[in-house]
Amino acid sequence: MTTHPATSSGAPPVTRASRPRPLGALNHVGLALAGLLALVDLGGVLLVEPPSGSSAQNGPPAEVLWFAFAMGVVTLVGVALAWAGRWRTPAPRVAAVARILSALTAVPAFFVGGVPAALVVWGAVTVLLTVAAVVLVLVRPRRA
Protein backbone atom coordinates (compact mmCIF):
# COMPACT_ATOMS: atom_id res chain seq x y z
CA MET A 1 0.00 0.00 0.00
CA THR A 2 1.36 3.40 -0.98
CA THR A 3 0.69 6.43 1.14
CA HIS A 4 0.87 10.00 0.02
CA PRO A 5 3.79 11.87 1.69
CA ALA A 6 1.58 14.77 2.75
CA THR A 7 -0.83 12.53 4.67
CA SER A 8 1.59 9.95 6.03
CA SER A 9 2.61 12.18 8.96
CA GLY A 10 -0.80 11.89 10.56
CA ALA A 11 -1.48 15.63 10.23
CA PRO A 12 -4.62 16.63 8.39
CA PRO A 13 -4.02 17.75 4.84
CA VAL A 14 -3.88 21.47 4.23
CA THR A 15 -6.95 22.47 2.30
CA ARG A 16 -7.79 25.74 0.67
CA ALA A 17 -10.17 26.63 3.51
CA SER A 18 -7.59 25.97 6.25
CA ARG A 19 -4.76 27.97 4.69
CA PRO A 20 -4.23 31.39 6.24
CA ARG A 21 -5.38 34.28 4.11
CA PRO A 22 -2.86 36.89 3.10
CA LEU A 23 -3.18 40.30 4.66
CA GLY A 24 -5.51 42.73 2.95
CA ALA A 25 -4.97 46.38 2.12
CA LEU A 26 -6.79 47.51 5.28
CA ASN A 27 -4.58 45.24 7.38
CA HIS A 28 -1.48 46.82 5.85
CA VAL A 29 -2.80 50.32 6.57
CA GLY A 30 -3.48 49.32 10.17
CA LEU A 31 -0.04 47.78 10.55
CA ALA A 32 1.61 50.90 9.13
CA LEU A 33 -0.37 53.09 11.54
CA ALA A 34 0.50 50.80 14.46
CA GLY A 35 4.17 50.97 13.43
CA LEU A 36 4.10 54.77 13.37
CA LEU A 37 2.47 54.87 16.80
CA ALA A 38 5.14 52.46 18.06
CA LEU A 39 7.87 54.76 16.79
CA VAL A 40 6.23 57.62 18.71
CA ASP A 41 6.30 55.41 21.82
CA LEU A 42 10.01 54.77 21.31
CA GLY A 43 10.71 58.48 20.98
CA GLY A 44 8.62 59.35 24.02
CA VAL A 45 11.38 58.27 26.38
CA LEU A 46 13.75 60.74 24.74
CA LEU A 47 11.37 63.61 23.97
CA VAL A 48 9.05 63.86 26.98
CA GLU A 49 10.50 65.13 30.21
CA PRO A 50 9.27 63.08 33.19
CA PRO A 51 7.73 65.09 36.01
CA SER A 52 9.90 66.36 38.80
CA GLY A 53 8.63 65.42 42.27
CA SER A 54 4.95 64.59 42.62
CA SER A 55 3.71 67.11 40.06
CA ALA A 56 2.47 66.08 36.63
CA GLN A 57 3.36 69.46 35.14
CA ASN A 58 6.21 68.23 32.97
CA GLY A 59 4.82 64.99 31.60
CA PRO A 60 3.99 61.39 32.37
CA PRO A 61 5.92 59.42 34.99
CA ALA A 62 9.10 57.69 33.87
CA GLU A 63 7.49 54.26 34.46
CA VAL A 64 4.73 55.10 31.98
CA LEU A 65 7.27 56.26 29.41
CA TRP A 66 9.32 53.09 29.76
CA PHE A 67 6.21 50.88 29.60
CA ALA A 68 5.17 52.69 26.41
CA PHE A 69 8.70 52.16 25.09
CA ALA A 70 8.41 48.41 25.76
CA MET A 71 4.99 48.29 24.08
CA GLY A 72 6.48 50.13 21.11
CA VAL A 73 9.15 47.45 20.76
CA VAL A 74 6.56 44.67 21.03
CA THR A 75 4.38 46.45 18.47
CA LEU A 76 7.25 46.82 16.00
CA VAL A 77 8.12 43.13 16.32
CA GLY A 78 4.47 42.18 15.84
CA VAL A 79 4.13 44.50 12.83
CA ALA A 80 7.29 43.14 11.21
CA LEU A 81 6.22 39.52 11.71
CA ALA A 82 2.65 40.22 10.56
CA TRP A 83 3.81 42.08 7.48
CA ALA A 84 5.96 39.12 6.47
CA GLY A 85 3.45 36.44 7.45
CA ARG A 86 -0.18 35.66 7.19
CA TRP A 87 -3.32 36.95 8.88
CA ARG A 88 -3.96 33.98 11.19
CA THR A 89 -0.56 34.11 12.81
CA PRO A 90 -0.57 35.62 16.29
CA ALA A 91 1.65 38.54 15.24
CA PRO A 92 -1.17 40.96 14.28
CA ARG A 93 -2.96 40.20 17.53
CA VAL A 94 0.23 40.75 19.54
CA ALA A 95 0.73 44.11 17.83
CA ALA A 96 -2.91 45.05 18.52
CA VAL A 97 -2.71 44.11 22.21
CA ALA A 98 0.54 46.05 22.61
CA ARG A 99 -1.10 49.11 21.03
CA ILE A 100 -4.11 48.82 23.35
CA LEU A 101 -1.88 48.55 26.42
CA SER A 102 0.14 51.53 25.26
CA ALA A 103 -3.03 53.59 24.71
CA LEU A 104 -4.25 52.74 28.19
CA THR A 105 -1.26 54.59 29.63
CA ALA A 106 -2.74 57.84 28.26
CA VAL A 107 -6.09 57.42 30.04
CA PRO A 108 -5.00 58.84 33.44
CA ALA A 109 -4.14 62.14 31.73
CA PHE A 110 -7.88 62.71 31.26
CA PHE A 111 -8.60 62.40 34.99
CA VAL A 112 -5.49 63.72 36.77
CA GLY A 113 -5.36 67.43 37.44
CA GLY A 114 -2.45 69.57 36.40
CA VAL A 115 -1.73 67.81 33.11
CA PRO A 116 -0.93 70.33 30.36
CA ALA A 117 -3.67 70.68 27.75
CA ALA A 118 -1.25 69.76 24.97
CA LEU A 119 -0.58 66.38 26.60
CA VAL A 120 -4.30 65.73 27.06
CA VAL A 121 -4.93 66.48 23.38
CA TRP A 122 -1.96 64.31 22.39
CA GLY A 123 -3.31 61.48 24.55
CA ALA A 124 -6.75 61.76 22.94
CA VAL A 125 -5.28 61.74 19.43
CA THR A 126 -3.11 58.70 20.14
CA VAL A 127 -6.04 56.82 21.70
CA LEU A 128 -8.21 57.51 18.64
CA LEU A 129 -5.42 56.54 16.24
CA THR A 130 -4.82 53.38 18.27
CA VAL A 131 -8.49 52.41 18.01
CA ALA A 132 -8.33 52.92 14.24
CA ALA A 133 -5.08 50.93 13.95
CA VAL A 134 -6.39 48.01 16.02
CA VAL A 135 -9.63 47.81 14.03
CA LEU A 136 -7.73 47.90 10.74
CA VAL A 137 -5.17 45.31 11.87
CA LEU A 138 -7.82 42.89 13.09
CA VAL A 139 -10.35 43.30 10.28
CA ARG A 140 -10.77 40.01 8.44
CA PRO A 141 -9.28 40.19 4.95
CA ARG A 142 -11.61 39.46 2.05
CA ARG A 143 -11.31 36.27 0.09
CA ALA A 144 -9.50 36.60 -3.20
Side-chain angles (χ1 to χ4, degrees), residues 2-134:
T2 307
T3 59
H4 191 273
T7 59
S8 64
S9 66
V14 176
T15 63
R16 184 175 207 178
S18 67
R19 271 184 275 167
R21 289 187 217 157
L23 293 169
L26 291 177
N27 300 120
H28 283 107
V29 170
L31 288 171
L33 184 55
L36 289 174
L37 288 167
L39 292 175
V40 170
D41 282 350
L42 296 179
V45 173
L46 302 173
L47 299 176
V48 178
E49 183 180 337
S52 55
S54 63
S55 169
Q57 293 297 321
N58 299 343
E63 296 84 9
V64 170
L65 293 174
W66 284 107
F67 180 77
F69 180 87
M71 292 300 101
V73 171
V74 171
T75 300
L76 287 177
V77 170
V79 165
L81 292 174
W83 202 283
R86 301 284 185 164
W87 184 75
R88 289 190 189 177
T89 64
R93 291 174 189 89
V94 168
V97 168
R99 291 301 343 130
I100 291 168
L101 291 174
S102 178
L104 286 176
T105 64
V107 172
F110 305 125
F111 303 107
V112 174
V115 177
L119 289 179
V120 174
V121 170
W122 180 252
V125 168
T126 57
V127 167
L128 291 174
L129 289 175
T130 296
V131 169
V134 168

